[in-house]
Coordinates of all heavy atoms in Angstrom, one line a residue:
M1 N 0.8 -1.2 0.0 CA 0.0 0.0 0.0 C 0.9 1.2 0.0 O 2.0 1.2 0.5 CB -0.9 0.0 1.2 CG -1.8 -1.2 1.3 SD -2.8 -1.4 -0.2 CE -4.4 -1.2 0.4
G2 N 0.3 2.3 -0.5 CA 1.1 3.5 -0.6 C 0.3 4.8 -0.1 O -0.8 4.6 0.4
I3 N 1.0 5.9 -0.2 CA 0.4 7.1 0.3 C -0.9 7.4 -0.4 O -1.9 7.7 0.3 CB 1.4 8.3 0.1 CG1 2.5 8.2 1.2 CG2 0.6 9.6 0.2 CD1 3.5 9.3 1.1
L4 N -1.0 7.2 -1.7 CA -2.2 7.5 -2.4 C -3.4 6.6 -2.1 O -4.5 7.0 -2.1 CB -2.0 7.5 -3.9 CG -1.1 8.7 -4.5 CD1 -0.9 8.5 -6.0 CD2 -1.7 10.0 -4.2
S5 N -3.0 5.3 -1.8 CA -4.1 4.4 -1.6 C -4.6 4.3 -0.1 O -5.6 3.8 0.2 CB -3.6 3.0 -2.0 OG -2.5 2.6 -1.2
E6 N -3.8 5.0 0.8 CA -4.2 5.0 2.2 C -4.6 6.3 2.7 O -5.0 6.4 3.9 CB -2.9 4.5 3.0 CG -2.6 3.0 2.7 CD -1.3 2.6 3.4 OE1 -0.7 3.4 4.2 OE2 -1.0 1.4 3.2
N7 N -4.6 7.3 1.9 CA -4.9 8.7 2.4 C -5.7 9.4 1.4 O -5.7 9.2 0.2 CB -3.6 9.5 2.6 CG -2.7 8.9 3.7 OD1 -3.0 9.0 4.9 ND2 -1.7 8.2 3.3
V8 N -6.4 10.4 1.9 CA -7.1 11.4 1.0 C -6.1 12.6 0.9 O -5.7 13.1 1.9 CB -8.4 11.9 1.6 CG1 -9.1 12.9 0.7 CG2 -9.4 10.7 1.8
I9 N -5.8 12.9 -0.3 CA -4.8 13.9 -0.6 C -5.4 15.3 -0.8 O -6.5 15.3 -1.5 CB -3.9 13.5 -1.8 CG1 -3.3 12.1 -1.7 CG2 -2.8 14.6 -2.1 CD1 -2.4 11.9 -0.5
P10 N -4.9 16.3 -0.2 CA -5.6 17.7 -0.5 C -5.6 18.0 -1.9 O -4.7 17.6 -2.7 CB -4.7 18.6 0.3 CG -3.8 17.8 1.1 CD -3.7 16.4 0.6
G11 N -6.6 18.8 -2.3 CA -6.7 19.2 -3.7 C -8.1 19.2 -4.1 O -9.0 18.8 -3.4
N12 N -8.3 19.6 -5.4 CA -9.7 19.7 -5.9 C -10.3 18.4 -6.3 O -11.5 18.4 -6.7 CB -9.8 20.8 -7.0 CG -8.9 20.4 -8.1 OD1 -8.3 19.4 -8.2 ND2 -8.9 21.3 -9.1
H13 N -9.6 17.3 -6.4 CA -10.1 16.1 -6.9 C -10.8 15.3 -5.8 O -11.8 14.6 -6.0 CB -9.0 15.2 -7.5 CG -7.8 15.1 -6.6 ND1 -6.8 15.9 -6.7 CD2 -7.5 14.2 -5.6 CE1 -5.9 15.6 -5.8 NE2 -6.3 14.5 -5.1
G14 N -10.4 15.4 -4.6 CA -11.0 14.7 -3.4 C -10.9 13.2 -3.6 O -10.2 12.6 -4.4
K15 N -11.7 12.5 -2.7 CA -11.7 11.0 -2.7 C -13.1 10.6 -2.7 O -13.9 11.1 -1.8 CB -10.9 10.4 -1.6 CG -10.8 8.9 -1.5 CD -9.9 8.4 -2.5 CE -9.8 6.9 -2.3 NZ -9.2 6.2 -3.5
V16 N -13.5 9.6 -3.5 CA -14.9 9.2 -3.6 C -15.0 7.9 -2.8 O -14.2 7.0 -2.9 CB -15.3 8.9 -5.1 CG1 -16.7 8.4 -5.2 CG2 -15.2 10.2 -5.9
F17 N -16.1 7.8 -2.0 CA -16.5 6.7 -1.2 C -17.9 6.3 -1.5 O -18.7 7.1 -1.8 CB -16.4 7.0 0.3 CG -15.0 7.3 0.8 CD1 -14.5 8.6 0.7 CD2 -14.3 6.3 1.5 CE1 -13.2 8.9 1.2 CE2 -13.1 6.6 2.0 CZ -12.5 7.9 1.9
G18 N -18.1 5.0 -1.5 CA -19.5 4.4 -1.6 C -20.0 4.2 -0.2 O -19.2 3.9 0.7
T19 N -21.3 4.3 0.0 CA -21.9 4.0 1.3 C -23.3 3.3 1.2 O -23.9 3.4 0.1 CB -22.0 5.3 2.1 OG1 -22.5 4.9 3.4 CG2 -23.0 6.3 1.5
N20 N -23.7 2.6 2.2 CA -25.0 2.0 2.2 C -26.0 2.8 2.8 O -27.2 2.4 2.9 CB -24.9 0.6 2.8 CG -24.5 0.7 4.3 OD1 -23.8 1.6 4.7 ND2 -24.8 -0.4 5.1
A21 N -25.7 4.0 3.3 CA -26.7 5.0 3.8 C -27.6 5.5 2.7 O -27.0 5.8 1.6 CB -26.0 6.1 4.6
K22 N -28.9 5.6 2.9 CA -29.8 6.0 1.9 C -30.6 7.2 2.3 O -31.0 8.0 1.5 CB -30.7 4.9 1.4 CG -29.9 3.7 0.8 CD -30.8 2.6 0.4 CE -30.0 1.5 -0.1 NZ -30.3 0.2 0.5
E23 N -31.0 7.2 3.6 CA -31.9 8.3 4.1 C -31.1 9.6 4.2 O -30.0 9.6 4.6 CB -32.4 7.9 5.5 CG -33.2 6.6 5.5 CD -34.5 6.7 4.7 OE1 -35.2 7.7 4.7 OE2 -34.9 5.7 4.0
V24 N -31.8 10.7 3.9 CA -31.3 12.0 3.9 C -30.7 12.3 5.3 O -29.6 12.9 5.5 CB -32.3 13.1 3.5 CG1 -31.7 14.5 3.7 CG2 -32.7 12.9 2.0
K25 N -31.5 12.0 6.4 CA -31.0 12.2 7.7 C -29.7 11.5 8.1 O -28.9 12.0 8.8 CB -32.1 11.9 8.8 CG -32.5 10.4 8.8 CD -33.6 10.2 9.9 CE -34.1 8.7 9.8 NZ -33.2 7.8 10.5
D26 N -29.6 10.2 7.5 CA -28.3 9.5 7.7 C -27.2 10.1 7.0 O -26.0 10.2 7.5 CB -28.5 8.1 7.3 CG -29.6 7.3 8.2 OD1 -29.7 7.6 9.3 OD2 -30.2 6.4 7.6
L27 N -27.4 10.6 5.8 CA -26.4 11.3 5.0 C -25.9 12.6 5.7 O -24.7 12.9 5.8 CB -26.9 11.5 3.6 CG -27.2 10.3 2.8 CD1 -27.8 10.7 1.4 CD2 -26.1 9.3 2.6
R28 N -26.9 13.3 6.2 CA -26.5 14.5 7.0 C -25.7 14.2 8.2 O -24.7 14.9 8.5 CB -27.8 15.3 7.4 CG -28.3 16.1 6.4 CD -29.4 17.1 6.9 NE -30.4 17.3 6.0 CZ -31.7 17.1 6.1 NH1 -32.2 16.7 7.2 NH2 -32.5 17.4 5.1
R29 N -26.1 13.1 8.9 CA -25.3 12.7 10.1 C -23.9 12.3 9.7 O -22.9 12.7 10.4 CB -26.0 11.6 10.8 CG -25.8 11.5 12.2 CD -26.7 10.5 12.9 NE -26.2 9.2 12.5 CZ -26.5 8.1 13.1 NH1 -27.4 8.0 14.0 NH2 -26.0 6.9 12.7
I30 N -23.7 11.6 8.6 CA -22.4 11.2 8.2 C -21.6 12.4 7.9 O -20.4 12.6 8.3 CB -22.5 10.3 6.9 CG1 -23.0 8.9 7.4 CG2 -21.1 10.2 6.3 CD1 -23.3 8.0 6.2
K31 N -22.2 13.4 7.1 CA -21.4 14.6 6.8 C -21.0 15.4 8.0 O -19.9 15.8 8.2 CB -22.3 15.5 5.9 CG -21.6 16.8 5.4 CD -22.5 17.5 4.5 CE -21.7 18.8 4.0 NZ -22.4 19.5 2.9
E32 N -21.9 15.6 9.0 CA -21.7 16.3 10.2 C -20.5 15.7 11.0 O -19.6 16.4 11.5 CB -22.9 16.3 11.1 CG -24.0 17.2 10.7 CD -25.3 17.1 11.5 OE1 -25.3 16.3 12.5 OE2 -26.3 17.7 11.1
H33 N -20.5 14.3 11.1 CA -19.4 13.7 11.8 C -18.1 13.7 11.0 O -17.0 13.9 11.6 CB -19.8 12.2 12.1 CG -20.7 12.1 13.3 ND1 -22.1 12.4 13.2 CD2 -20.5 11.7 14.5 CE1 -22.6 12.2 14.4 NE2 -21.6 11.8 15.2
L34 N -18.1 13.6 9.7 CA -16.9 13.6 8.9 C -16.2 15.0 9.0 O -15.0 15.1 9.0 CB -17.1 13.2 7.5 CG -17.4 11.8 7.2 CD1 -17.7 11.5 5.8 CD2 -16.2 10.9 7.7
L35 N -17.0 16.1 9.0 CA -16.5 17.4 9.1 C -15.8 17.7 10.4 O -15.1 18.7 10.6 CB -17.6 18.5 8.8 CG -18.1 18.5 7.4 CD1 -19.3 19.4 7.3 CD2 -17.0 18.9 6.4
K36 N -16.0 16.8 11.4 CA -15.3 17.0 12.7 C -13.9 16.5 12.7 O -13.1 16.8 13.5 CB -16.1 16.2 13.8 CG -17.4 16.8 14.1 CD -18.2 16.0 15.2 CE -19.5 16.6 15.4 NZ -20.3 15.8 16.4
I37 N -13.6 15.7 11.6 CA -12.2 15.2 11.5 C -11.3 16.3 11.0 O -11.6 17.0 10.0 CB -12.2 14.0 10.5 CG1 -13.0 12.8 11.0 CG2 -10.7 13.6 10.2 CD1 -13.1 11.6 10.0
N38 N -10.2 16.4 11.7 CA -9.2 17.5 11.4 C -8.7 17.3 10.0 O -8.2 16.3 9.7 CB -8.1 17.5 12.4 CG -7.2 18.7 12.3 OD1 -7.5 19.7 11.7 ND2 -6.0 18.5 12.8
G39 N -8.9 18.3 9.2 CA -8.4 18.3 7.8 C -9.4 18.1 6.8 O -9.2 18.4 5.6
I40 N -10.6 17.7 7.2 CA -11.7 17.5 6.2 C -12.4 18.8 6.0 O -12.9 19.4 6.9 CB -12.7 16.4 6.6 CG1 -12.0 15.0 6.5 CG2 -13.9 16.4 5.6 CD1 -12.9 13.8 6.7
E41 N -12.4 19.3 4.7 CA -12.9 20.6 4.4 C -14.4 20.6 3.9 O -15.2 21.4 4.2 CB -12.0 21.2 3.3 CG -12.5 22.4 2.7 CD -11.5 22.9 1.6 OE1 -11.1 22.1 0.8 OE2 -11.1 24.1 1.7
N42 N -14.7 19.5 3.1 CA -16.1 19.4 2.5 C -16.4 18.0 2.2 O -15.5 17.1 1.9 CB -16.1 20.2 1.2 CG -17.5 20.5 0.8 OD1 -18.4 20.3 1.5 ND2 -17.6 21.1 -0.4
V43 N -17.7 17.6 2.3 CA -18.2 16.3 2.0 C -19.4 16.6 1.0 O -20.3 17.3 1.4 CB -18.7 15.6 3.2 CG1 -19.3 14.2 2.8 CG2 -17.6 15.4 4.2
I44 N -19.4 16.0 -0.2 CA -20.4 16.2 -1.2 C -21.0 14.9 -1.5 O -20.3 13.9 -1.9 CB -19.8 16.9 -2.5 CG1 -19.2 18.2 -2.1 CG2 -20.9 17.1 -3.5 CD1 -18.4 18.8 -3.2
F45 N -22.3 14.8 -1.4 CA -23.0 13.5 -1.8 C -23.6 13.6 -3.2 O -24.0 14.7 -3.6 CB -24.2 13.3 -0.8 CG -23.7 12.8 0.5 CD1 -23.5 13.7 1.5 CD2 -23.5 11.5 0.8 CE1 -23.0 13.3 2.8 CE2 -23.1 11.0 2.0 CZ -22.8 11.9 3.0
N46 N -23.6 12.5 -3.9 CA -24.3 12.5 -5.2 C -25.8 12.2 -5.0 O -26.2 11.8 -4.0 CB -23.6 11.5 -6.2 CG -23.9 10.0 -5.8 OD1 -24.6 9.7 -4.9 ND2 -23.3 9.1 -6.5
D47 N -26.5 12.3 -6.1 CA -28.0 12.1 -6.0 C -28.3 10.8 -6.7 O -29.5 10.5 -6.9 CB -28.7 13.2 -6.7 CG -28.6 14.5 -6.0 OD1 -28.4 14.5 -4.8 OD2 -28.7 15.6 -6.7
D48 N -27.4 10.0 -7.0 CA -27.6 8.7 -7.7 C -27.6 7.5 -6.8 O -27.3 7.7 -5.6 CB -26.5 8.5 -8.8 CG -26.5 9.6 -9.8 OD1 -27.6 10.2 -10.1 OD2 -25.4 9.9 -10.4
F49 N -27.9 6.4 -7.4 CA -27.8 5.1 -6.6 C -26.7 4.3 -7.4 O -26.8 4.2 -8.6 CB -29.1 4.3 -6.6 CG -29.0 3.1 -5.7 CD1 -29.1 3.2 -4.4 CD2 -28.8 1.9 -6.3 CE1 -29.0 2.1 -3.6 CE2 -28.6 0.8 -5.5 CZ -28.7 0.8 -4.2
P50 N -25.8 3.7 -6.8 CA -25.5 3.7 -5.3 C -25.0 5.1 -4.8 O -24.4 5.8 -5.6 CB -24.4 2.6 -5.1 CG -23.7 2.6 -6.4 CD -24.8 2.9 -7.5
V51 N -25.3 5.3 -3.5 CA -24.9 6.6 -3.0 C -23.4 6.6 -2.8 O -22.8 5.7 -2.3 CB -25.6 6.8 -1.6 CG1 -25.1 8.1 -1.0 CG2 -27.1 6.8 -1.8
E52 N -22.8 7.7 -3.3 CA -21.4 8.0 -3.1 C -21.2 9.4 -2.6 O -22.1 10.2 -2.8 CB -20.7 7.8 -4.5 CG -20.7 6.5 -5.1 CD -20.0 6.4 -6.4 OE1 -19.9 7.4 -7.1 OE2 -19.7 5.2 -6.8
F53 N -20.1 9.6 -1.9 CA -19.7 10.9 -1.5 C -18.3 11.2 -1.7 O -17.5 10.3 -1.8 CB -20.1 11.2 0.0 CG -19.5 10.2 1.0 CD1 -18.3 10.6 1.6 CD2 -20.1 9.0 1.3 CE1 -17.7 9.8 2.6 CE2 -19.5 8.2 2.3 CZ -18.3 8.6 2.9
T54 N -18.0 12.4 -2.0 CA -16.6 12.9 -2.2 C -16.1 13.7 -1.0 O -16.8 14.6 -0.5 CB -16.5 13.7 -3.5 OG1 -17.1 13.0 -4.5 CG2 -15.1 14.1 -3.8
V55 N -14.9 13.4 -0.5 CA -14.3 14.0 0.6 C -13.2 14.9 0.1 O -12.3 14.4 -0.6 CB -13.8 13.0 1.7 CG1 -13.1 13.8 2.8 CG2 -14.9 12.2 2.2
H56 N -13.2 16.2 0.4 CA -12.1 17.1 0.1 C -11.4 17.5 1.4 O -12.1 17.7 2.4 CB -12.7 18.4 -0.6 CG -13.2 18.1 -1.9 ND1 -14.6 17.9 -2.1 CD2 -12.6 17.9 -3.1 CE1 -14.8 17.7 -3.4 NE2 -13.6 17.7 -4.0
T57 N -10.1 17.6 1.4 CA -9.3 17.8 2.6 C -8.4 19.0 2.4 O -8.1 19.4 1.2 CB -8.5 16.6 3.0 OG1 -7.6 16.3 1.9 CG2 -9.4 15.4 3.2
T58 N -7.9 19.5 3.5 CA -6.9 20.6 3.5 C -5.5 20.0 3.8 O -4.5 20.7 3.7 CB -7.3 21.7 4.5 OG1 -7.4 21.1 5.8 CG2 -8.5 22.4 4.1
K59 N -5.5 18.7 4.3 CA -4.2 18.1 4.6 C -4.5 16.6 4.4 O -5.7 16.2 4.2 CB -3.8 18.4 6.0 CG -4.7 17.8 7.1 CD -4.1 18.1 8.5 CE -4.8 17.2 9.5 NZ -4.1 17.3 10.8
M60 N -3.5 15.8 4.4 CA -3.7 14.3 4.2 C -4.5 13.8 5.4 O -4.1 14.0 6.6 CB -2.3 13.6 4.2 CG -1.7 13.8 2.8 SD -0.4 12.6 2.3 CE 0.3 12.0 3.8
V61 N -5.5 13.0 5.1 CA -6.3 12.3 6.1 C -6.4 10.9 5.7 O -6.6 10.5 4.6 CB -7.8 12.9 6.1 CG1 -8.7 12.2 7.0 CG2 -7.8 14.4 6.4
E62 N -6.2 10.0 6.7 CA -6.2 8.6 6.5 C -7.5 8.1 6.1 O -8.5 8.5 6.8 CB -5.6 7.8 7.7 CG -4.2 8.0 8.0 CD -3.7 7.1 9.2 OE1 -4.4 6.1 9.5 OE2 -2.6 7.3 9.7
I63 N -7.6 7.2 5.1 CA -8.9 6.6 4.7 C -9.5 5.8 5.9 O -10.7 5.9 6.1 CB -8.6 5.8 3.4 CG1 -8.4 6.7 2.3 CG2 -9.8 4.9 3.2 CD1 -8.0 6.0 1.0
K64 N -8.6 5.1 6.6 CA -9.1 4.3 7.8 C -9.9 5.2 8.8 O -10.9 4.8 9.3 CB -8.0 3.7 8.5 CG -7.5 2.5 7.8 CD -8.5 1.3 8.0 CE -8.0 0.1 7.2 NZ -9.0 -0.8 6.9
E65 N -9.5 6.5 9.0 CA -10.1 7.4 9.9 C -11.6 7.6 9.4 O -12.5 7.7 10.2 CB -9.3 8.6 10.0 CG -9.8 9.5 11.1 CD -8.9 10.7 11.4 OE1 -7.8 10.8 10.7 OE2 -9.2 11.5 12.3
I66 N -11.7 7.9 8.1 CA -13.0 8.1 7.5 C -13.9 6.9 7.6 O -15.0 6.9 8.0 CB -12.9 8.6 6.0 CG1 -12.2 10.0 6.0 CG2 -14.2 8.6 5.3 CD1 -11.7 10.4 4.7
E67 N -13.3 5.7 7.2 CA -14.0 4.5 7.3 C -14.5 4.2 8.7 O -15.7 3.8 8.9 CB -13.2 3.3 6.8 CG -12.8 3.3 5.3 CD -11.8 2.3 5.0 OE1 -10.9 2.0 5.8 OE2 -12.0 1.7 3.9
N68 N -13.7 4.4 9.7 CA -14.0 4.1 11.1 C -15.1 5.1 11.6 O -16.0 4.7 12.4 CB -12.8 4.2 12.0 CG -11.9 3.0 11.7 OD1 -12.3 1.9 11.2 ND2 -10.6 3.2 12.1
M69 N -15.1 6.3 11.2 CA -16.1 7.3 11.6 C -17.5 6.9 11.1 O -18.4 6.9 11.8 CB -15.7 8.7 11.1 CG -16.7 9.8 11.5 SD -16.9 10.1 13.2 CE -15.5 11.2 13.5
V70 N -17.5 6.5 9.8 CA -18.8 6.2 9.2 C -19.3 4.8 9.8 O -20.5 4.6 10.1 CB -18.7 6.1 7.7 CG1 -19.9 5.6 7.0 CG2 -18.3 7.5 7.1
K71 N -18.3 3.9 10.0 CA -18.7 2.6 10.6 C -19.3 2.8 12.0 O -20.2 2.1 12.3 CB -17.4 1.7 10.6 CG -17.6 0.3 11.0 CD -16.3 -0.4 11.0 CE -16.5 -1.9 11.2 NZ -15.2 -2.6 11.2
G72 N -18.8 3.7 12.7 CA -19.3 4.0 14.1 C -20.7 4.5 14.0 O -21.5 4.4 15.0
L73 N -21.2 5.0 12.9 CA -22.6 5.4 12.7 C -23.5 4.3 12.2 O -24.7 4.5 12.0 CB -22.6 6.6 11.8 CG -21.9 7.9 12.2 CD1 -21.8 8.9 11.1 CD2 -22.5 8.4 13.5
G74 N -22.9 3.1 12.0 CA -23.7 2.0 11.5 C -23.7 1.8 10.0 O -24.6 1.0 9.5
F75 N -22.9 2.5 9.3 CA -22.8 2.4 7.8 C -21.4 2.0 7.4 O -20.5 2.0 8.2 CB -23.3 3.7 7.2 CG -24.7 4.1 7.6 CD1 -24.8 5.1 8.6 CD2 -25.8 3.5 7.1 CE1 -26.1 5.4 9.0 CE2 -27.1 3.8 7.5 CZ -27.2 4.8 8.5
H76 N -21.3 1.8 6.1 CA -19.9 1.7 5.6 C -19.5 2.8 4.6 O -20.4 3.4 4.1 CB -19.7 0.3 4.9 CG -20.5 0.1 3.6 ND1 -21.6 -0.7 3.6 CD2 -20.3 0.6 2.4 CE1 -22.1 -0.7 2.3 NE2 -21.3 0.1 1.6
A77 N -18.2 3.0 4.5 CA -17.6 3.9 3.5 C -16.5 3.2 2.8 O -15.5 2.8 3.4 CB -17.1 5.1 4.2
I78 N -16.8 2.8 1.6 CA -15.8 2.0 0.8 C -15.1 3.0 -0.2 O -15.8 3.5 -1.1 CB -16.5 0.9 0.1 CG1 -17.1 0.0 1.1 CG2 -15.5 0.1 -0.8 CD1 -17.9 -1.1 0.6
P79 N -13.8 3.2 -0.1 CA -13.1 4.1 -1.1 C -13.2 3.5 -2.5 O -13.0 2.3 -2.7 CB -11.7 4.1 -0.6 CG -11.6 3.0 0.3 CD -12.9 2.6 0.8
K80 N -13.4 4.4 -3.5 CA -13.3 4.0 -4.9 C -11.9 4.0 -5.3 O -11.0 4.5 -4.6 CB -14.2 4.9 -5.7 CG -15.6 4.9 -5.3 CD -16.3 3.6 -5.7 CE -17.7 3.6 -5.3 NZ -18.4 2.4 -5.8
G81 N -11.6 3.6 -6.6 CA -10.3 3.6 -7.1 C -9.5 4.9 -7.1 O -10.2 6.0 -6.8
L82 N -8.3 4.9 -7.4 CA -7.5 6.1 -7.4 C -8.0 7.1 -8.5 O -8.6 6.6 -9.5 CB -6.0 5.8 -7.7 CG -5.3 5.0 -6.7 CD1 -3.9 4.7 -7.1 CD2 -5.2 5.8 -5.4
F83 N -7.9 8.4 -8.2 CA -8.3 9.4 -9.2 C -7.5 9.3 -10.4 O -6.3 8.8 -10.4 CB -8.2 10.8 -8.6 CG -6.8 11.2 -8.1 CD1 -6.0 11.8 -9.0 CD2 -6.4 10.9 -6.9 CE1 -4.7 12.2 -8.6 CE2 -5.1 11.3 -6.5 CZ -4.3 11.9 -7.4
S84 N -8.0 9.7 -11.5 CA -7.3 9.7 -12.8 C -6.6 11.0 -13.0 O -7.1 12.1 -12.7 CB -8.2 9.4 -14.0 OG -9.2 10.4 -14.0
L85 N -5.4 10.9 -13.5 CA -4.6 12.1 -13.8 C -4.8 12.6 -15.3 O -5.0 11.8 -16.2 CB -3.1 11.9 -13.5 CG -2.8 11.6 -12.0 CD1 -1.4 11.3 -11.8 CD2 -3.2 12.8 -11.2

């Protein structure tokens, strides 16, 4: 594993995660909790199914930290593949 596969790197591309949360109240709760993680600047959800969200950061944030935060709320956050250059 490497830096790119284990961390969300700051920048405008962000990192996309899939989740099994579907209700708007659950998505809001996930966003509120993720924004408490130091370095997370923004969380954007898509309107499609399956539900995915993009995390933008101001510094490197470990993917495990994001996964664990969402898991603690009763849902999963599965990172998608590396961004394309």
Side-chain angles (χ1 to χ4, degrees):
M1 301 307 244
I3 286 182
L4 291 178
S5 62
E6 295 176 359
N7 296 285
V8 179
I9 307 300
N12 59 2
H13 51 269
K15 179 72 174 170
V16 178
F17 292 82
T19 185
N20 60 336
K22 296 178 183 129
E23 301 293 324
V24 173
K25 64 180 173 81
D26 295 328
L27 299 176
R28 275 193 214 125
R29 207 171 73 163
I30 289 171
K31 182 175 183 172
E32 288 171 6
H33 281 76
L34 288 177
L35 289 173
K36 292 178 184 177
I37 296 175
N38 186 22
I40 294 185
E41 172 179 51
N42 196 9
V43 179
I44 301 170
F45 287 91
N46 71 3
D47 293 332
D48 299 329
F49 185 82
V51 177
E52 295 178 340
F53 61 92
T54 305
V55 175
H56 293 97
T57 63
T58 57
K59 67 177 196 172
M60 283 197 338
V61 175
E62 289 186 17
I63 288 175
K64 282 286 181 205
E65 191 173 357
I66 294 168
E67 291 173 325
N68 291 337
M69 176 68 79
V70 175
K71 189 177 186 181
L73 298 173
F75 302 103
H76 67 251
I78 300 173
K80 299 292 182 174
L82 294 175
F83 60 89
S84 60
L85 295 175

